[in-house]
Amino acid sequence: MEFLEAAVEIAREAGTLLANYFERKIPFERKGEFDLVTEADRSSEKLVVEKLRTHFPTHAVVAEEGGGFSGSSEYRWYVDPLDGTTNFAHSFPMFNVTLGLERAGEVIAGVIYDPVRQEMFTAEKGSGAYLNHKRIRVSRVTRLADSLASTGFPSRKRSHNVNIHFYYQLAMASHGVRRTGSAALDLAYVACGRLDFFWEFGLKPWDQAAGVLLVQEAGGQVSDMRGEAHSITGSEHLLADNGLLHGEVVQMFDTIFAGQMPTPLPDLA
Ligand code: IPD
Ligand code: CA
Ligand code: CA
């Protein structure tokens, strides 16, 4: 079976499993102070990893909850069995399952499935990006001042995250910055033009693999937050945008990294 075809089938099955758990409102456990996990994360991962092993026994699998295995070929799958666990645990309907396939360091196929909206985002290297079989493209917004963005705040090491400075400055300079709670859907939404750009500090390879390919195949641009080359295993800081906004956003980030805040925080009094 083709890689993408298999990934779509597996993501649909895992997504349906997640949707069933979601209906039942299951309890959550804590991996860290604010880092949640549920039975749905584990069951989805088990399903995805077992199916990948059956279809592609020589491929390596890296899965967030630790259920992967090492392979003997140059192919490696990155699996987030439930991206958006905090949303899921609070019955906030914004989550997905995502699989990205890397070959010799390059992501060549990716799937993000949102079972709530039944939206299947797919991409293959060199063949474009799709939403439910329809070709998608990034937005045409050219000015930061006309844009809608999104960002995220990882649950792990939350107190060390400087993103609140970036959030405030970018929110003041744009139409707004959403915080969807699902990095993969943020990337999928940049790819289909619902968002103009997305950034986050501290992403893991499974959060980014499929989404980065989707954005690139939809005509967008991906870099680290300094505008330098990005890789899913080498860069935890990501900026994904429609290409047209890239220069302006990187310039804004540079200003903030330099400690210069274009919009000062208002006084409380
Ligand atoms: C998280 C979500 C969230 C992002 C975090 C991720 P998880 O993934 O994508 O939006 O801000 O960085 O860790 O833990 O729900 O799979
Ligand atoms: Ca995730
Ligand atoms: Ca997850």
Side-chain angles (χ1 to χ4, degrees), residues 134-200:
K134 283 201 182 130
R135 187 86 189 237
I136 51 175
R137 295 207 53 85
V138 290
S139 73
R140 292 172 185 275
V141 170
T142 55
R143 296 187 331 138
L144 181 55
D146 296 326
S147 67
L148 183 67
S150 182
T151 189
F153 297 81
S155 322
R156 295 168 297 272
K157 296 191 185 164
R158 199 156 82 171
S159 50
H160 299 294
N161 200 299
V162 296
N163 199 25
I164 198 66
H165 299 285
F166 290 78
Y167 176 84
Y168 179 65
Q169 296 304 327
L170 273 297
M172 290 300 110
S174 66
H175 284 179
V177 179
R178 301 291 176 253
R179 196 287 193 245
T180 71
S182 163
L185 286 177
D186 287 321
L187 288 163
Y189 282 18
V190 171
C192 69
R194 293 175 188 167
L195 293 169
D196 305 305
F197 66 101
F198 163 69
W199 80 92
E200 186 166 338

Side-chain angles (χ1 to χ4, degrees), residues 31 35-36 41 64-65 80 82-86 151-156 179-184 186 200-204 206-207:
K31 286 201 273 190
D35 200 0
L36 312 182
D41 297 69
E64 182 176 12
E65 308 308 332
D80 194 336
L82 168 47
D83 178 54
T85 296
T86 304
T151 189
F153 297 81
S155 322
R156 295 168 297 272
R179 196 287 193 245
T180 71
S182 163
D186 287 321
E200 186 166 338
F201 290 89
L203 287 170
K204 298 291 178 193
W206 47 79
D207 296 316

